Amino acid sequence: MEKIVDDIFNVGVNDTKIDLFEGQYKVKDGMSYNSYLIIDEKIAILDTVDKNFFEEWFNNLTTILKDNKPTYLIVSHMEFDHAANIIKLVEKYNDITIVGNVKTFTMIKQFFNVEITNKLVVKENDTLSLGKHTLTFIFAPFVHWPEVMFTYDSYANILFSADAFGRFNTYENEANYLDEARRYYIGIVGKYGNQVQSVLKKASNLNIKIIAPLHGNVIKDNLAYYINKYDVWSKYEAEEEGVLIAYCSVYGNTKDAVNLLVKSLNNKGYRNVFAYDLARSDISEVISLAFKYNKLVLASITYNNSIFPFMNTFIEGLIERNYQNRIVGFIENGSWAPMATKVMKDKMQVLKNITFIDSNVKILSAVNEDTINQIEKLADSLLD
Ligand code: FEO
């Protein structure tokens, strides 16, 4: 639990047992499910937590509430890492009013098969007074579900931002802060850059001093830095000049070419080059790094007349998240019918504003003098 300001608390929980967040993202340092409590003449709870944590969360709530009863439960997002305990809370506080929009209540009916009778259906920019605190509801559709809404507290100048500005890791664990915020954003919200841009524009009119997301730390300092990161990510711009090499190699020959490319770039004075073996890496991390840098090289063996499965997963992950505005080169390997570059390039044709490098590398089984020359040309093209 954390006191955010005098009368606002995070009563959320840390999940250190979780293996895969949202069924796919490895979170070795766990995850937090934040839930906020505003104490005023009327008391509001913002969101519940994952179903496995009802007891801990409710204990946090009642430690502060004591015998007081909450008037409202504001539902920012219906995904079950936040919404799982809505009905259990109603069972504890029969008079509580559930606050959501039309889509929220449609989903409550779908998930719980119950009709909420004690409800307040809000529209965009509606306000709700708790006493000193006045809350304004700002719709944030597809950040990252259609019913999502932010809540702005104009008394405390806090933006309760639902999933936006969240990150992997438990609460108050600052390890790899930006990398885990990026991996979270690209993985979960990356597809919806336009929608993030839209809600950032709405938020730019607000006097925000604190951002309180549903995952990860409450942001009290350097707000402009984090808002700028969201702006860059949602515009699909690169954060840094750099080459990310994602490769698949079975017997090490394609890896040899990758190592030679790294060496060649280093020898030319270019240090921001990073190579990842997709079979042995967390693909969500490599995808997020592809969005960090402005250049990408894909290196794959030819496999079953196509590309290696991990490369297929990687490219599909980029496509799902609208990867765009980047420079891309290829390295392929094949002993009798190399076609990995054609397959990789064909798949990426659906992406917007990708500049494909012409001087790609073709390895016939193993690196030789000819491939070394090709690697030099690819390195030069990447530095052009
Ligand atoms: Fe944290 Fe989209 O749920």
Side-chain angles (χ1 to χ4, degrees):
M1 282 201 296
E2 185 197 15
K3 182 189 273 195
I4 312 298
V5 293
D6 279 349
D7 49 8
I8 300 182
F9 301 83
N10 179 4
V11 290
V13 297
N14 278 330
D15 184 350
T16 54
K17 300 253 174 14
I18 186 170
D19 55 350
L20 295 175
F21 179 66
E22 291 195 354
Q24 60 171 315
Y25 299 102
K26 289 176 186 159
V27 281
K28 65 181 173 48
D29 291 321
M31 199 68 201
S32 77
Y33 313 116
N34 301 340
S35 162
Y36 298 98
L37 180 62
I38 304 175
I39 307 292
D40 204 337
E41 289 164 30
K42 292 175 181 171
I43 294 170
I45 302 167
L46 287 93
D47 297 290
T48 79
V49 297
D50 182 89
K51 70 176 179 196
N52 296 317
F53 295 87
F54 176 78
E55 299 301 333
E56 182 181 342
W57 171 68
F58 192 70
N59 184 54
N60 288 348
L61 270 177
T62 50
T63 298
I64 297 169
L65 286 175
K66 300 194 168 53
D67 292 332
N68 296 309
K69 295 201 175 351
T71 306
Y72 300 112
L73 170 67
I74 297 166
V75 179
S76 307
H77 183 17
M78 278 302 298
E79 193 161 10
F80 253 36
D81 46 339
H82 313 292
N85 297 300
I86 292 172
I87 301 306
K88 277 189 169 179
L89 189 73
V90 172
E91 286 165 4
K92 296 281 187 185
Y93 297 114
N94 304 128
D95 296 330
I96 197 165
T97 297
I98 308 297
V99 182
N101 54 58
V102 170
K103 291 189 172 91
T104 316
F105 289 104
T106 302
M107 287 191 187
I108 289 177
K109 176 81 165 62
Q110 288 172 189
F111 276 114
F112 297 105
N113 199 27
V114 293
E115 201 72 60
I116 298 288
T117 49
N118 215 356
K119 64 183 176 184
L120 174 63
V121 183
V122 298
K123 300 188 294 302
E124 174 93 289
N125 293 323
D126 276 1
T127 59
L128 177 65
S129 174
L130 303 179
K132 289 185 299 185
H133 296 261
T134 299
L135 308 180
T136 304
F137 302 103
I138 298 155
F139 287 13
F142 291 101
V143 185
H144 80 270
W145 279 19
E147 85 298 354
V148 171
M149 58 185 196
F150 294 177
T151 300
Y152 176 64
D153 180 337
S154 57
Y155 177 77
N157 300 113
I158 297 180
L159 181 70
F160 297 96
S161 60
D163 274 342
F165 298 98
R167 65 189 292 270
F168 298 129
N169 271 7
T170 48
Y171 197 69
E172 294 187 323
N173 179 347
E174 306 243 331
N176 305 315
Y177 198 103
L178 183 61
D179 287 340
E180 287 299 74
R182 182 190 305 104
R183 187 167 71 92
Y184 169 93
Y185 172 85
I186 298 297
I188 291 166
V189 194
K191 180 181 176 65
Y192 302 109
N194 290 342
Q195 289 84 351
V196 172
Q197 277 290 302
S198 167
V199 79
L200 285 177
K201 282 196 182 70
K202 295 181 198 175
S204 68
N205 299 319
L206 306 172
N207 178 20
I208 302 166
K209 295 191 174 148
I210 295 174
I211 297 175
L214 288 177
H215 300 289
N217 291 9
V218 168
I219 303 171
K220 295 178 176 174
D221 302 308
N222 297 325
L223 267 66
Y225 173 82
Y226 293 105
I227 291 170
N228 176 257
K229 288 292 176 193
Y230 261 64
D231 190 40
V232 168
W233 295 336
S234 57
K235 285 180 182 159
Y236 301 98
E237 292 173 352
E239 284 172 78
E240 285 183 27
E241 162 76 35
V243 176
L244 180 82
I245 307 173
Y247 71 91
C248 295
S249 183
V250 174
Y251 296 108
N253 293 301
T254 307
K255 183 177 179 178
D256 286 345
V258 167
N259 288 337
L260 286 169
L261 178 61
V262 172
K263 198 170 165 191
S264 171
L265 287 164
N266 287 167
N267 286 343
K268 293 172 196 293
Y270 193 91
R271 293 280 156 198
N272 242 12
V273 50
F274 308 93
Y276 286 83
D277 176 351
L278 292 177
R280 293 172 177 82
S281 302
D282 177 343
I283 286 188
S284 76
E285 179 188 353
V286 190
I287 288 172
S288 73
L289 292 173
F291 282 81
K292 178 178 180 182
Y293 299 112
N294 61 335
K295 294 166 187 169
L296 173 67
V297 173
L298 301 179
S300 178
I301 61 161
T302 302
Y303 188 79
N304 284 338
N305 217 25
S306 182
I307 53 179
F308 207 55
F310 296 101
M311 180 59 76
N312 195 49
T313 301
F314 179 72
I315 294 174
E316 290 299 328
L318 295 178
I319 293 169
E320 273 180 45
R321 291 161 183 82
N322 282 327
Y323 183 78
Q324 54 191 274
N325 306 327
R326 300 295 195 277
I327 295 164
V328 178
F330 299 99
I331 297 173
E332 68 176 343
N333 195 351
S335 292
W336 60 94
M339 60 180 306
T341 291
K342 180 182 184 320
V343 173
M344 292 188 283
K345 195 169 175 181
D346 284 353
K347 282 179 178 293
M348 296 187 88
Q349 294 293 344
V350 297
L351 299 173
K352 284 187 213 158
N353 197 23
I354 300 292
T355 303
F356 293 109
I357 290 175
D358 290 332
S359 48
N360 296 307
V361 175
K362 183 191 297 271
I363 309 162
L364 296 170
S365 303
V367 169
N368 58 25
E369 278 303 313
D370 182 41
T371 40
I372 289 170
N373 290 334
Q374 292 179 47
I375 288 165
E376 283 300 308
K377 282 188 187 159
L378 176 56
D380 288 338
S381 298
L382 286 163
L383 298 182
D384 257 358

